[in-house]
Amino acid sequence: MEIAYFPGCTLSTKAKGLDRSARDSLQALGFTLREIPEWNCCGASFPLTNDDLRLAGAVRNLVRAAEMGQEELLALCSTCYNVTKRANRVMREDTTRRERINTFIEAQYDGHVRVVHLLDLLRDRLGFEELRQRVTRPLEGLRLAAYYGCFLLRPADEIALDDPETPHLFEDFLAALGAEPVFYPHRGECCGSYLAVGAPEVALDASYRILQAARRSGADALVTSCPLCHYNLDHPQREMATRYPGFRPLPVLYITQVLGVALGLDPEGFGFERHAVDPLPLLARVPEKVSAL
Amino acid sequence: MRLVLNPSVLQNELLRRVEELSGQDVMACYQCGNCSAGCPASGAMDLLPNQIVRLLQLGCAEEALHARAIWYCAACLSCEARCPKGIDVARLTEALRTLALEHGIRHIAIEELPPEVLAEMPQQAFVGGFRKYSA
């Protein structure tokens, strides 16, 4: 199974572990990732005013995928997925804006490529039941809290990956890996996002509330597919420990790290050493690989 | 803050530009407060999201432009998801920020960010954050 892949800026630098664990895992599952050539930044935020220039970067990547003859484009990072999918919708449905953007980037793109995330790729092209069969090291005993954040859910009519208030796609994925999914009220709340730059204390507080909610629901770790959410939730936990009495750290894992571990892959390059809260003691609790009969 | 209202404020150019940039009709809001209830940053705001909309309804776009609250919106779209009148408040705050930046109002100075932040923070935070909060 072949699929065009857009890694994005952060996966090539600060979140190499997300990229590597995704490449290894998807290869093990029989996918051939074809990285789109000469890709550029998606823009990292979808413009909420009708600013067509700010969509040009994301659309250019879609044009590259179309030129490869691909019908689907995989974006792993939640931000890239959200921005690219919404830009694609503008190209598909708004003929005036489409023409303006196409003229600007000298392309003739009509929005036909489908933008997918790891979760719907595995659900629709492999199937979670098949995924369950491929798992060689089930994450037994791990209580994992899926963290959707904003970008996998909103705006609901444009993203349409799952129900925006009561999603279960991410939990279904974790269950297929053998983990016990934990449902908690803050899984679609914002981590603070870009406020990490402009108002870090607000982001710290927002992330603290999410971690506490997951902890109260019995989670052993949080799982995300967004490097910015990961930064906001993982990086400041030392400061949270000094600021909020009784705070206990909670590991934050990437979606493809847990996938790779469940597939029994060598975690070399998965980037666990970059985490502020070391997830390895928790992962060591997972029973060793079950050998095939 | 002391406000003096008269009907002519509703014709002001700034309000027209907020509505043009955002594509939102501020008069559709009936002040239920759902946007403020779900906002993860409301605790840090001087004015709540529904109060920003109320200022705009009263024609006080200039006051809304100077509210600190507009710089605390992370565009998480919880307000958009829960508004019973279909108003996207995040589009209003983005329009207000865009106009504030045009007016020379600044929130973050890129050159003042500490080196350890620059070293650790993911690229998407810079690209997205600078697009939203700096000119």
Side-chain angles (χ1 to χ4, degrees), chain A residues 17-164:
Chain A
L18 172 55
D19 175 71
R20 176 66 182 274
S21 54
R23 288 177 192 266
D24 291 357
S25 300
L26 287 171
Q27 189 182 14
L29 289 170
F31 289 93
T32 305
L33 292 189
R34 293 194 52 201
E35 187 170 330
I36 54 173
E38 297 174 40
W39 55 260
N40 48 250
C41 173
C42 67
S45 73
F46 186 82
L48 297 177
T49 56
N50 285 351
D51 184 340
D52 294 329
L53 183 57
R54 289 190 179 195
L55 292 183
V59 174
R60 193 178 166 278
N61 291 332
L62 287 157
V63 171
R64 292 278 181 273
E67 284 169 354
M68 290 165 74
Q70 297 286 334
E71 287 172 5
E72 287 189 324
L73 175 62
L74 171 68
L76 287 169
C77 160
S78 307
T79 310
C80 298
Y81 167 73
N82 183 287
V83 172
T84 308
K85 189 164 185 176
R86 296 176 73 184
N88 198 38
R89 186 192 193 227
V90 171
M91 296 304 281
R92 199 173 57 243
E93 295 179 6
D94 189 329
T95 49
T96 310
R97 298 184 73 189
R98 174 202 300 169
E99 195 178 330
R100 209 180 295 139
I101 294 166
N102 270 334
T103 305
F104 184 70
I105 61 170
E106 298 181 336
Q108 283 155 352
Y109 178 65
D110 60 2
H112 70 274
V113 172
R114 289 201 306 122
V115 180
V116 298
H117 184 262
L118 180 83
L119 286 169
D120 53 344
L121 177 77
L122 293 181
R123 178 192 61 193
D124 300 338
R125 291 212 13 206
L126 187 70
F128 285 161
E129 191 44 48
E130 176 63 20
L131 176 62
R132 189 189 303 274
Q133 303 292 326
R134 305 281 191 97
V135 165
T136 57
R137 197 183 167 199
L139 305 178
E140 282 165 15
L142 287 199
R143 293 171 56 86
L144 298 181
Y147 177 64
Y148 293 84
C150 313
F151 290 136
L152 298 185
L153 299 176
R154 293 183 292 269
D157 58 334
E158 293 184 47
I159 298 304
L161 193 57
D162 206 344
D163 184 280

Side-chain angles (χ1 to χ4, degrees), chain A residues 10 13-14 48 79 154 209, chain B residues 76 91 94 121 123-124:
Chain A
T10 310
T13 51
K14 306 278 170 63
L48 297 177
T79 310
R154 293 183 292 269
R209 279 180 273 148
Chain B
C76 76
R91 283 190 179 265
E94 182 125 322
M121 202 172 284
Q123 277 75 359
Q124 64 207 100

Side-chain angles (χ1 to χ4, degrees), chain A residues 10 13-14 43-44 47-49 54 77 79 150 154-155 165 190 192 194-199 202 209 226-228 231 235, chain B residues 21 40 44 71-72 74 76-78 82 90-91 94 107-108 118-125 127-129 131-133:
Chain A
T10 310
T13 51
K14 306 278 170 63
L48 297 177
T49 56
R54 289 190 179 195
C77 160
T79 310
C150 313
R154 293 183 292 269
E165 298 287 350
C190 178
Y194 316 108
L195 293 176
V197 184
V202 181
R209 279 180 273 148
C226 180
L228 179 51
Y231 175 84
H235 191 262
Chain B
L21 279 170
W71 304 103
Y72 292 119
C76 76
L77 305 188
S78 288
R82 292 168 191 173
R91 283 190 179 265
E94 182 125 322
H107 179 61
I108 52 171
L118 294 170
E120 286 297 324
M121 202 172 284
Q123 277 75 359
Q124 64 207 100
V127 180
R131 278 186 158 189
K132 289 209 177 294
Y133 311 125

Side-chain angles (χ1 to χ4, degrees), chain A residues 184-207:
Chain A
Y184 63 110
H186 286 56
R187 58 212 170 105
E189 292 286 311
C190 178
C191 69
S193 189
Y194 316 108
L195 293 176
V197 184
E201 70 288 351
V202 181
L204 183 102
D205 190 53
S207 290

